[in-house]
Every structure is written in C-alpha cells, then in structure tokens.
Amino acid sequence: MSGHNKWSTIKHKKAAVDAKRGKIFSRISKELTRASRIGGGDIDMNPRLRTAINAAKNANMPNDNVERAIKKGTGELGGGALEELEYEGFAPGGVAVLIEVLTDNRNRTAAEIRNVFTRAGTSLAGPGAVSRLFSRKARFVVEGEYADEVKLMELLFEAGVDVEDISVEDGEAEIIAPPDAFDDIVGALEGAGIEASDSGVVKIPETFIPVTELSVAKQVSNFLEALEEQDDVQAVSSNAEFTDDVMAKLEDEG
C-alpha cells in the first residue's frame, strides 16, 4: 500500500507551506465551490460538499466565507453560467502542470493563465500533452486517533469500499481510491464518526520529475503559487518531486 507515498509526502509538505502562508481558506473555498457546482448546495444530498464543510470547520473558516463559496458554485451570486475547463502546460524544469478552472468568462481566464505561463518563460501545451500523465483519484486525509492504517483498512473493507492506498505519516492518514468510490468512503467514515480533515477528487501524477536544484525549485514553486492565486483556478496539479533537502530550504525561506 505504498504506491502513492511520494505524492502523499509532497502534498503533506506543501499543505504545511500553504497553511503558513494563509492559503488554506482559499483552497477550502475552491473545494466548496467545486463541490456545490457538481452536486448542488444541499449537504444531505452532496457528500463531497459535506466533507468540504467539515474541513472548513476544522480550519475555523468563517461561516460567511463558507456560504459565499457555496453560492458561487450553485450560481446564487449571479453572473454568467460557470464552466469547468482544464489547461495543460509545463513549469520551469520540464515539470508537467494541469490546471482546473471554474469560470464565467473563458476568454478572461485563458488570458490570465497564459500570462502566468508567459511571465515564467514557459507556455501552454495542447490537449492531452499533460493530462495523460495524471489520473483522477478520491483522496481523504484523516488525523489524530483515527489515523491508523489497519483500522481504516478494516473499516473500508467491511464497507465494501474499493481502496488503492492508505499511508500514515506524522499523525495523518491519507486514503487514495478510485474517484467513483468517493461517496462510499464518505458514508463509511461518517458511519464510524470520523471526520476527514481534507478530501476531494484530485489529479495524481503517474510519474514524477525530480527537482534537486534550489534555484529550479524556487521557479517551480513560485510558478505553481502564481497559478493557484488566480481567482478562477480550482486546482493545480504537477508532477514535481522536491527532494527533502530542497523542500527544507524552501520552507526556511518561505
């Protein structure tokens, strides 16, 4: 059960960096918007939205922020109809990048995304050039006393849930499963009184590009952050694999 450990480690470290920089609300807001866009604003009928709201509560996110993010997804805030789009390209160092957006103006969004690539000295790629390197997966993070690989595996096995990987590190258990298992995992966790601190359907790279030089790591990190800061961007996935040494230096400078 270790197939995604590298990705897990990268995401955990990146999450710590994001939290330090005050980006956790932005990440949760985007998941709330996306979940309500896909499944509607009724939490009883939308497991993905329920787990996103739990994550918002665990992060002490203000209720106004939560409600605004949900209404953006359901279209209650007005504006044009929201459209889901995907952009592909390469970051400095040849790192593959997949950008998922939710927009009411595709021309504006395309210009903003292209501008980020241009400033970084890179360019967008054609359809399929990058997306083929990633797979959609359901991902859950469980913390504290429930972060036990054996207990979670038994729970999900008994519930008949298809799980690909469970890994535990630093008091956090990460569950990786096929995307269509998302609702079943929500039900199994809720039935056991377990709240996921983070969840979503994400894009996980099949292979990784090692980033061993600090200068390149800075370029890649700044590039990914610039994309994530765009209002219409819902998620940014890359196949960058920062070494422990490089990651430690980035955190020290951050």
Side-chain angles (χ1 to χ4, degrees), residues 138-161:
R139 174 180 179 264
F140 292 78
V141 174
V142 175
E143 300 179 351
E145 62 179 304
Y146 299 110
D148 185 294
E149 180 178 351
V150 175
K151 291 180 179 179
L152 287 172
M153 181 58 67
E154 290 177 348
L155 170 67
L156 296 173
F157 179 78
E158 290 176 1
V161 179

Side-chain angles (χ1 to χ4, degrees), residues 11 16 52 55 67 92 98 102 106 119 131 163 186 192 230 249:
K11 294 299 287 186
E67 293 175 4
L98 198 61
L102 192 62
R106 64 160 55 201
R119 291 201 309 268
S131 58
V163 175
V186 171
Q230 302 303 308
K249 290 177 180 177

Side-chain angles (χ1 to χ4, degrees), residues 41-72:
D42 184 349
I43 61 173
D44 292 328
M45 302 297 292
N46 189 340
R48 183 168 177 176
L49 181 59
R50 282 204 304 277
T51 60
I53 290 175
N54 286 337
K57 290 179 179 177
N58 290 335
N60 295 316
M61 188 172 178
N63 289 334
D64 288 348
N65 294 38
V66 174
E67 293 175 4
R68 187 162 55 249
I70 293 173
K71 288 181 178 179
K72 180 180 178 182

Side-chain angles (χ1 to χ4, degrees), residues 176-196:
I176 299 293
D180 56 6
F182 189 94
D183 290 359
D184 291 337
I185 295 176
V186 171
L189 293 179
E190 289 181 343
I194 300 173
E195 286 190 2

Side-chain angles (χ1 to χ4, degrees), residues 7-45:
W7 184 85
S8 170
T9 301
I10 293 166
K11 294 299 287 186
H12 286 165
K13 289 180 177 177
K14 185 178 183 305
V17 174
D18 285 352
K20 278 196 257 183
R21 294 176 181 173
K23 293 184 178 179
I24 194 167
F25 282 4
S26 175
R27 177 176 56 79
I28 293 174
S29 291
K30 289 176 178 179
E31 175 59 18
L32 288 165
T33 297
R34 197 172 193 186
S36 57
R37 165 72 172 84
I38 295 170
D42 184 349
I43 61 173
D44 292 328
M45 302 297 292

Side-chain angles (χ1 to χ4, degrees), residues 108-233:
R108 178 198 67 224
T109 301
E112 292 173 348
I113 297 297
R114 192 176 297 111
N115 185 44
V116 175
F117 275 85
T118 299
R119 291 201 309 268
T122 61
S123 60
L124 290 164
V130 167
S131 58
R132 61 184 176 82
L133 304 175
F134 294 79
S135 297
R136 292 179 70 246
K137 302 291 181 181
R139 174 180 179 264
F140 292 78
V141 174
V142 175
E143 300 179 351
E145 62 179 304
Y146 299 110
D148 185 294
E149 180 178 351
V150 175
K151 291 180 179 179
L152 287 172
M153 181 58 67
E154 290 177 348
L155 170 67
L156 296 173
F157 179 78
E158 290 176 1
V161 179
D162 182 14
V163 175
E164 296 180 2
D165 182 51
I166 297 179
S167 58
V168 179
E169 182 179 348
D170 298 331
E172 289 186 348
E174 181 182 63
I175 303 167
I176 299 293
D180 56 6
F182 189 94
D183 290 359
D184 291 337
I185 295 176
V186 171
L189 293 179
E190 289 181 343
I194 300 173
E195 286 190 2
S197 61
D198 193 12
S199 67
V201 177
V202 300
K203 297 291 180 69
I204 294 180
E206 298 287 349
T207 58
F208 295 85
I209 296 292
V211 180
T212 59
E213 297 181 13
L214 182 59
S215 60
V216 177
K218 286 181 180 178
Q219 294 178 52
V220 173
S221 179
N222 290 338
F223 176 72
L224 297 178
E225 287 181 11
L227 287 171
E228 290 174 344
E229 288 171 355
Q230 302 303 308
D231 289 340
D232 296 332
V233 171

